[in-house]
mmCIF file of all heavy atoms in Angstrom:
data_model
loop_
_atom_site.group_PDB
_atom_site.id
_atom_site.type_symbol
_atom_site.label_atom_id
_atom_site.label_comp_id
_atom_site.label_asym_id
_atom_site.label_seq_id
_atom_site.Cartn_x
_atom_site.Cartn_y
_atom_site.Cartn_z
ATOM 1 N N GLU B 15 7.414 3.630 -1.790
ATOM 2 C CA GLU B 15 8.614 3.490 -2.616
ATOM 3 C C GLU B 15 8.999 2.023 -2.758
ATOM 4 O O GLU B 15 9.389 1.570 -3.842
ATOM 5 C CB GLU B 15 9.772 4.274 -2.004
ATOM 6 C CG GLU B 15 11.047 4.227 -2.833
ATOM 7 C CD GLU B 15 12.157 5.081 -2.256
ATOM 8 O OE1 GLU B 15 11.894 5.841 -1.308
ATOM 9 O OE2 GLU B 15 13.293 4.983 -2.761
ATOM 10 N N ASN B 16 8.868 1.274 -1.689
ATOM 11 C CA ASN B 16 9.164 -0.153 -1.733
ATOM 12 C C ASN B 16 8.261 -0.869 -2.738
ATOM 13 O O ASN B 16 8.711 -1.724 -3.503
ATOM 14 C CB ASN B 16 8.983 -0.754 -0.336
ATOM 15 C CG ASN B 16 9.355 -2.215 -0.276
ATOM 16 O OD1 ASN B 16 10.512 -2.587 -0.294
ATOM 17 N ND2 ASN B 16 8.342 -3.079 -0.206
ATOM 18 N N ALA B 17 6.975 -0.487 -2.750
ATOM 19 C CA ALA B 17 6.039 -1.104 -3.703
ATOM 20 C C ALA B 17 6.405 -0.765 -5.141
ATOM 21 O O ALA B 17 6.433 -1.639 -6.014
ATOM 22 C CB ALA B 17 4.615 -0.650 -3.393
ATOM 23 N N LEU B 18 6.703 0.505 -5.398
ATOM 24 C CA LEU B 18 7.027 0.914 -6.765
ATOM 25 C C LEU B 18 8.312 0.245 -7.258
ATOM 26 O O LEU B 18 8.444 -0.070 -8.439
ATOM 27 C CB LEU B 18 7.162 2.435 -6.856
ATOM 28 C CG LEU B 18 5.927 3.265 -6.486
ATOM 29 C CD1 LEU B 18 6.144 4.722 -6.877
ATOM 30 C CD2 LEU B 18 4.672 2.733 -7.141
ATOM 31 N N LYS B 19 9.261 0.039 -6.360
ATOM 32 C CA LYS B 19 10.540 -0.554 -6.756
ATOM 33 C C LYS B 19 10.466 -2.059 -6.979
ATOM 34 O O LYS B 19 11.103 -2.594 -7.888
ATOM 35 C CB LYS B 19 11.601 -0.272 -5.674
ATOM 36 C CG LYS B 19 12.217 1.106 -5.729
ATOM 37 C CD LYS B 19 13.316 1.189 -4.686
ATOM 38 C CE LYS B 19 14.052 2.521 -4.758
ATOM 39 N NZ LYS B 19 15.139 2.609 -3.748
ATOM 40 N N HIS B 20 9.682 -2.737 -6.124
ATOM 41 C CA HIS B 20 9.809 -4.191 -6.070
ATOM 42 C C HIS B 20 8.562 -4.981 -6.450
ATOM 43 O O HIS B 20 8.676 -6.176 -6.758
ATOM 44 C CB HIS B 20 10.230 -4.609 -4.652
ATOM 45 C CG HIS B 20 11.501 -3.977 -4.174
ATOM 46 N ND1 HIS B 20 12.736 -4.295 -4.712
ATOM 47 C CD2 HIS B 20 11.723 -3.025 -3.229
ATOM 48 C CE1 HIS B 20 13.671 -3.576 -4.088
ATOM 49 N NE2 HIS B 20 13.082 -2.806 -3.200
ATOM 50 N N ALA B 21 7.394 -4.362 -6.417
ATOM 51 C CA ALA B 21 6.167 -5.162 -6.522
ATOM 52 C C ALA B 21 5.863 -5.650 -7.929
ATOM 53 O O ALA B 21 5.269 -6.719 -8.100
ATOM 54 C CB ALA B 21 4.974 -4.360 -5.986
ATOM 55 N N PHE B 22 6.269 -4.892 -8.944
ATOM 56 C CA PHE B 22 5.717 -5.121 -10.278
ATOM 57 C C PHE B 22 6.687 -5.719 -11.290
ATOM 58 O O PHE B 22 6.286 -6.091 -12.391
ATOM 59 C CB PHE B 22 5.132 -3.809 -10.817
ATOM 60 C CG PHE B 22 4.170 -3.166 -9.859
ATOM 61 C CD1 PHE B 22 4.468 -1.936 -9.275
ATOM 62 C CD2 PHE B 22 3.000 -3.795 -9.514
ATOM 63 C CE1 PHE B 22 3.592 -1.343 -8.380
ATOM 64 C CE2 PHE B 22 2.108 -3.220 -8.621
ATOM 65 C CZ PHE B 22 2.405 -1.990 -8.052
ATOM 66 N N LEU B 23 7.960 -5.789 -10.954
ATOM 67 C CA LEU B 23 8.958 -6.500 -11.761
ATOM 68 C C LEU B 23 8.884 -6.180 -13.258
ATOM 69 O O LEU B 23 8.799 -7.063 -14.107
ATOM 70 C CB LEU B 23 8.805 -8.013 -11.562
ATOM 71 C CG LEU B 23 9.074 -8.531 -10.137
ATOM 72 C CD1 LEU B 23 8.791 -10.026 -10.053
ATOM 73 C CD2 LEU B 23 10.501 -8.227 -9.726
ATOM 74 N N GLY B 24 8.893 -4.893 -13.577
ATOM 75 C CA GLY B 24 8.928 -4.482 -14.981
ATOM 76 C C GLY B 24 7.583 -4.384 -15.654
ATOM 77 O O GLY B 24 7.506 -3.981 -16.819
ATOM 78 N N ARG B 25 6.519 -4.745 -14.975
ATOM 79 C CA ARG B 25 5.182 -4.630 -15.575
ATOM 80 C C ARG B 25 4.837 -3.154 -15.758
ATOM 81 O O ARG B 25 4.920 -2.378 -14.822
ATOM 82 C CB ARG B 25 4.146 -5.310 -14.673
ATOM 83 C CG ARG B 25 2.776 -5.455 -15.326
ATOM 84 C CD ARG B 25 1.859 -6.310 -14.448
ATOM 85 N NE ARG B 25 1.490 -5.609 -13.222
ATOM 86 C CZ ARG B 25 0.835 -6.178 -12.221
ATOM 87 N NH1 ARG B 25 0.533 -7.481 -12.274
ATOM 88 N NH2 ARG B 25 0.525 -5.495 -11.138
ATOM 89 N N LYS B 26 4.438 -2.769 -16.941
ATOM 90 C CA LYS B 26 4.284 -1.356 -17.268
ATOM 91 C C LYS B 26 2.852 -0.844 -17.164
ATOM 92 O O LYS B 26 2.627 0.368 -17.225
ATOM 93 C CB LYS B 26 4.817 -1.087 -18.679
ATOM 94 C CG LYS B 26 6.316 -1.344 -18.794
ATOM 95 C CD LYS B 26 6.844 -0.992 -20.168
ATOM 96 C CE LYS B 26 8.356 -1.229 -20.250
ATOM 97 N NZ LYS B 26 8.897 -0.882 -21.582
ATOM 98 N N LYS B 27 1.874 -1.722 -17.031
ATOM 99 C CA LYS B 27 0.486 -1.281 -16.941
ATOM 100 C C LYS B 27 -0.248 -2.090 -15.877
ATOM 101 O O LYS B 27 0.158 -3.189 -15.511
ATOM 102 C CB LYS B 27 -0.220 -1.436 -18.284
ATOM 103 C CG LYS B 27 0.299 -0.507 -19.374
ATOM 104 C CD LYS B 27 -0.527 -0.635 -20.653
ATOM 105 C CE LYS B 27 -0.036 0.338 -21.711
ATOM 106 N NZ LYS B 27 -0.825 0.233 -22.966
ATOM 107 N N GLY B 28 -1.357 -1.483 -15.386
ATOM 108 C CA GLY B 28 -2.195 -2.186 -14.427
ATOM 109 C C GLY B 28 -1.603 -2.302 -13.041
ATOM 110 O O GLY B 28 -1.992 -3.188 -12.272
ATOM 111 N N ASN B 29 -0.683 -1.410 -12.698
ATOM 112 C CA ASN B 29 -0.016 -1.464 -11.390
ATOM 113 C C ASN B 29 -0.727 -0.529 -10.411
ATOM 114 O O ASN B 29 -0.756 0.685 -10.617
ATOM 115 C CB ASN B 29 1.448 -1.054 -11.524
ATOM 116 C CG ASN B 29 2.200 -1.938 -12.508
ATOM 117 O OD1 ASN B 29 2.025 -3.147 -12.518
ATOM 118 N ND2 ASN B 29 3.024 -1.332 -13.350
ATOM 119 N N ARG B 30 -1.281 -1.082 -9.368
ATOM 120 C CA ARG B 30 -2.060 -0.288 -8.415
ATOM 121 C C ARG B 30 -1.431 -0.346 -7.023
ATOM 122 O O ARG B 30 -1.020 -1.404 -6.556
ATOM 123 C CB ARG B 30 -3.502 -0.779 -8.340
ATOM 124 C CG ARG B 30 -4.287 -0.598 -9.630
ATOM 125 C CD ARG B 30 -5.771 -0.843 -9.399
ATOM 126 N NE ARG B 30 -6.027 -2.182 -8.852
ATOM 127 C CZ ARG B 30 -6.139 -3.267 -9.603
ATOM 128 N NH1 ARG B 30 -6.008 -3.193 -10.916
ATOM 129 N NH2 ARG B 30 -6.384 -4.438 -9.034
ATOM 130 N N VAL B 31 -1.393 0.829 -6.381
ATOM 131 C CA VAL B 31 -0.953 0.931 -4.991
ATOM 132 C C VAL B 31 -2.011 1.724 -4.239
ATOM 133 O O VAL B 31 -2.419 2.803 -4.681
ATOM 134 C CB VAL B 31 0.413 1.627 -4.868
ATOM 135 C CG1 VAL B 31 0.807 1.757 -3.392
ATOM 136 C CG2 VAL B 31 1.483 0.852 -5.620
ATOM 137 N N THR B 32 -2.464 1.190 -3.121
ATOM 138 C CA THR B 32 -3.507 1.831 -2.324
ATOM 139 C C THR B 32 -2.967 2.143 -0.936
ATOM 140 O O THR B 32 -2.436 1.262 -0.254
ATOM 141 C CB THR B 32 -4.737 0.916 -2.194
ATOM 142 O OG1 THR B 32 -5.234 0.610 -3.493
ATOM 143 C CG2 THR B 32 -5.828 1.600 -1.396
ATOM 144 N N VAL B 33 -3.092 3.404 -0.535
ATOM 145 C CA VAL B 33 -2.672 3.847 0.798
ATOM 146 C C VAL B 33 -3.927 4.219 1.586
ATOM 147 O O VAL B 33 -4.773 4.977 1.098
ATOM 148 C CB VAL B 33 -1.729 5.066 0.715
ATOM 149 C CG1 VAL B 33 -1.346 5.546 2.117
ATOM 150 C CG2 VAL B 33 -0.490 4.737 -0.107
ATOM 151 N N GLN B 34 -4.025 3.699 2.797
ATOM 152 C CA GLN B 34 -5.182 4.010 3.631
ATOM 153 C C GLN B 34 -4.743 4.243 5.066
ATOM 154 O O GLN B 34 -3.911 3.505 5.608
ATOM 155 C CB GLN B 34 -6.203 2.869 3.586
ATOM 156 C CG GLN B 34 -7.505 3.192 4.308
ATOM 157 C CD GLN B 34 -8.570 2.136 4.061
ATOM 158 O OE1 GLN B 34 -8.297 1.094 3.475
ATOM 159 N NE2 GLN B 34 -9.788 2.414 4.500
ATOM 160 N N VAL B 35 -5.281 5.293 5.665
ATOM 161 C CA VAL B 35 -5.019 5.605 7.075
ATOM 162 C C VAL B 35 -6.367 5.675 7.778
ATOM 163 O O VAL B 35 -7.282 6.378 7.318
ATOM 164 C CB VAL B 35 -4.265 6.943 7.224
ATOM 165 C CG1 VAL B 35 -4.022 7.257 8.700
ATOM 166 C CG2 VAL B 35 -2.937 6.899 6.470
ATOM 167 N N GLU B 36 -6.497 4.955 8.890
ATOM 168 C CA GLU B 36 -7.767 4.955 9.610
ATOM 169 C C GLU B 36 -7.531 4.829 11.107
ATOM 170 O O GLU B 36 -6.495 4.334 11.555
ATOM 171 C CB GLU B 36 -8.661 3.809 9.125
ATOM 172 C CG GLU B 36 -8.070 2.431 9.325
ATOM 173 C CD GLU B 36 -8.976 1.331 8.836
ATOM 174 O OE1 GLU B 36 -10.170 1.587 8.635
ATOM 175 O OE2 GLU B 36 -8.481 0.194 8.657
ATOM 176 N N ALA B 37 -8.507 5.306 11.868
ATOM 177 C CA ALA B 37 -8.470 5.188 13.324
ATOM 178 C C ALA B 37 -9.257 3.956 13.731
ATOM 179 O O ALA B 37 -10.354 3.700 13.227
ATOM 180 C CB ALA B 37 -9.058 6.436 13.960
ATOM 181 N N LEU B 38 -8.707 3.187 14.671
ATOM 182 C CA LEU B 38 -9.380 1.997 15.172
ATOM 183 C C LEU B 38 -10.048 2.305 16.508
ATOM 184 O O LEU B 38 -9.621 3.216 17.238
ATOM 185 C CB LEU B 38 -8.368 0.861 15.338
ATOM 186 C CG LEU B 38 -7.602 0.447 14.061
ATOM 187 C CD1 LEU B 38 -6.614 -0.663 14.389
ATOM 188 C CD2 LEU B 38 -8.559 0.016 12.971
ATOM 189 N N PRO B 39 -11.089 1.556 16.868
ATOM 190 C CA PRO B 39 -11.776 1.806 18.149
ATOM 191 C C PRO B 39 -10.855 1.714 19.357
ATOM 192 O O PRO B 39 -11.109 2.326 20.382
ATOM 193 C CB PRO B 39 -12.836 0.693 18.179
ATOM 194 C CG PRO B 39 -13.066 0.345 16.750
ATOM 195 C CD PRO B 39 -11.739 0.510 16.077
ATOM 196 N N SER B 40 -9.765 0.981 19.217
ATOM 197 C CA SER B 40 -8.823 0.807 20.328
ATOM 198 C C SER B 40 -7.874 1.985 20.491
ATOM 199 O O SER B 40 -6.857 1.875 21.177
ATOM 200 C CB SER B 40 -8.010 -0.466 20.098
ATOM 201 O OG SER B 40 -7.332 -0.410 18.849
ATOM 202 N N LYS B 41 -8.190 3.121 19.857
ATOM 203 C CA LYS B 41 -7.343 4.318 19.885
ATOM 204 C C LYS B 41 -5.965 4.037 19.306
ATOM 205 O O LYS B 41 -4.942 4.507 19.803
ATOM 206 C CB LYS B 41 -7.228 4.872 21.304
ATOM 207 C CG LYS B 41 -8.533 5.432 21.847
ATOM 208 C CD LYS B 41 -8.343 6.101 23.192
ATOM 209 C CE LYS B 41 -9.657 6.693 23.694
ATOM 210 N NZ LYS B 41 -9.496 7.358 25.004
ATOM 211 N N ARG B 42 -5.967 3.256 18.250
ATOM 212 C CA ARG B 42 -4.750 2.969 17.517
ATOM 213 C C ARG B 42 -4.902 3.463 16.088
ATOM 214 O O ARG B 42 -6.021 3.538 15.548
ATOM 215 C CB ARG B 42 -4.447 1.463 17.532
ATOM 216 C CG ARG B 42 -3.979 0.985 18.889
ATOM 217 C CD ARG B 42 -4.052 -0.521 19.018
ATOM 218 N NE ARG B 42 -3.123 -1.226 18.140
ATOM 219 C CZ ARG B 42 -1.830 -1.387 18.400
ATOM 220 N NH1 ARG B 42 -1.298 -0.866 19.483
ATOM 221 N NH2 ARG B 42 -1.050 -2.066 17.579
ATOM 222 N N LEU B 43 -3.787 3.807 15.481
ATOM 223 C CA LEU B 43 -3.775 4.253 14.093
ATOM 224 C C LEU B 43 -3.373 3.086 13.216
ATOM 225 O O LEU B 43 -2.387 2.393 13.497
ATOM 226 C CB LEU B 43 -2.794 5.412 13.909
ATOM 227 C CG LEU B 43 -2.824 6.097 12.531
ATOM 228 C CD1 LEU B 43 -4.110 6.903 12.373
ATOM 229 C CD2 LEU B 43 -1.607 7.001 12.365
ATOM 230 N N HIS B 44 -4.113 2.880 12.146
ATOM 231 C CA HIS B 44 -3.839 1.790 11.221
ATOM 232 C C HIS B 44 -3.435 2.385 9.874
ATOM 233 O O HIS B 44 -4.186 3.156 9.268
ATOM 234 C CB HIS B 44 -5.092 0.913 11.053
ATOM 235 C CG HIS B 44 -4.938 -0.158 10.024
ATOM 236 N ND1 HIS B 44 -5.961 -0.497 9.147
ATOM 237 C CD2 HIS B 44 -3.893 -0.961 9.704
ATOM 238 C CE1 HIS B 44 -5.545 -1.473 8.358
ATOM 239 N NE2 HIS B 44 -4.293 -1.766 8.677
ATOM 240 N N ILE B 45 -2.237 2.069 9.409
ATOM 241 C CA ILE B 45 -1.732 2.518 8.105
ATOM 242 C C ILE B 45 -1.518 1.289 7.241
ATOM 243 O O ILE B 45 -0.836 0.350 7.658
ATOM 244 C CB ILE B 45 -0.408 3.284 8.248
ATOM 245 C CG1 ILE B 45 -0.574 4.502 9.159
ATOM 246 C CG2 ILE B 45 0.129 3.707 6.879
ATOM 247 C CD1 ILE B 45 0.748 5.149 9.550
ATOM 248 N N SER B 46 -2.093 1.286 6.059
ATOM 249 C CA SER B 46 -1.889 0.145 5.159
ATOM 250 C C SER B 46 -1.456 0.634 3.781
ATOM 251 O O SER B 46 -1.933 1.659 3.295
ATOM 252 C CB SER B 46 -3.166 -0.688 5.028
ATOM 253 O OG SER B 46 -4.171 0.015 4.342
ATOM 254 N N VAL B 47 -0.519 -0.093 3.191
ATOM 255 C CA VAL B 47 -0.071 0.154 1.814
ATOM 256 C C VAL B 47 -0.163 -1.183 1.090
ATOM 257 O O VAL B 47 0.552 -2.133 1.426
ATOM 258 C CB VAL B 47 1.367 0.698 1.772
ATOM 259 C CG1 VAL B 47 1.823 0.860 0.324
ATOM 260 C CG2 VAL B 47 1.447 2.040 2.503
ATOM 261 N N ARG B 48 -1.061 -1.247 0.108
ATOM 262 C CA ARG B 48 -1.310 -2.498 -0.612
ATOM 263 C C ARG B 48 -0.983 -2.319 -2.085
ATOM 264 O O ARG B 48 -1.185 -1.248 -2.656
ATOM 265 C CB ARG B 48 -2.773 -2.926 -0.463
ATOM 266 C CG ARG B 48 -3.197 -3.227 0.966
ATOM 267 C CD ARG B 48 -4.649 -3.721 1.025
ATOM 268 N NE ARG B 48 -5.024 -4.152 2.365
ATOM 269 C CZ ARG B 48 -5.553 -3.370 3.292
ATOM 270 N NH1 ARG B 48 -5.773 -2.096 2.996
ATOM 271 N NH2 ARG B 48 -5.864 -3.833 4.480
ATOM 272 N N ASP B 49 -0.488 -3.377 -2.704
ATOM 273 C CA ASP B 49 -0.238 -3.362 -4.140
ATOM 274 C C ASP B 49 -0.799 -4.633 -4.768
ATOM 275 O O ASP B 49 -1.107 -5.599 -4.068
ATOM 276 C CB ASP B 49 1.263 -3.230 -4.431
ATOM 277 C CG ASP B 49 2.073 -4.440 -3.953
ATOM 278 O OD1 ASP B 49 1.892 -5.533 -4.521
ATOM 279 O OD2 ASP B 49 2.882 -4.296 -3.014
#
């Protein structure tokens, strides 16, 4: 929601958001949200 509200500043096309969840070898969970 933060990305959709703030990342694109009125740009109407070409807006990408990528969500990824993965397990790390250290038994930690990694969540990333990129725009």
Side-chain angles (χ1 to χ4, degrees):
E15 182 176 351
N16 184 74
L18 300 191
K19 280 185 176 180
H20 303 291
F22 308 115
L23 296 176
R25 190 172 70 188
K26 296 184 179 180
K27 293 185 178 180
N29 302 318
R30 295 191 303 276
V31 178
T32 301
V33 178
Q34 186 171 8
V35 179
E36 61 180 343
L38 302 179
S40 57
K41 293 186 178 180
R42 288 164 66 80
L43 188 71
H44 175 220
I45 302 169
S46 68
V47 177
R48 297 183 174 90
D49 65 67

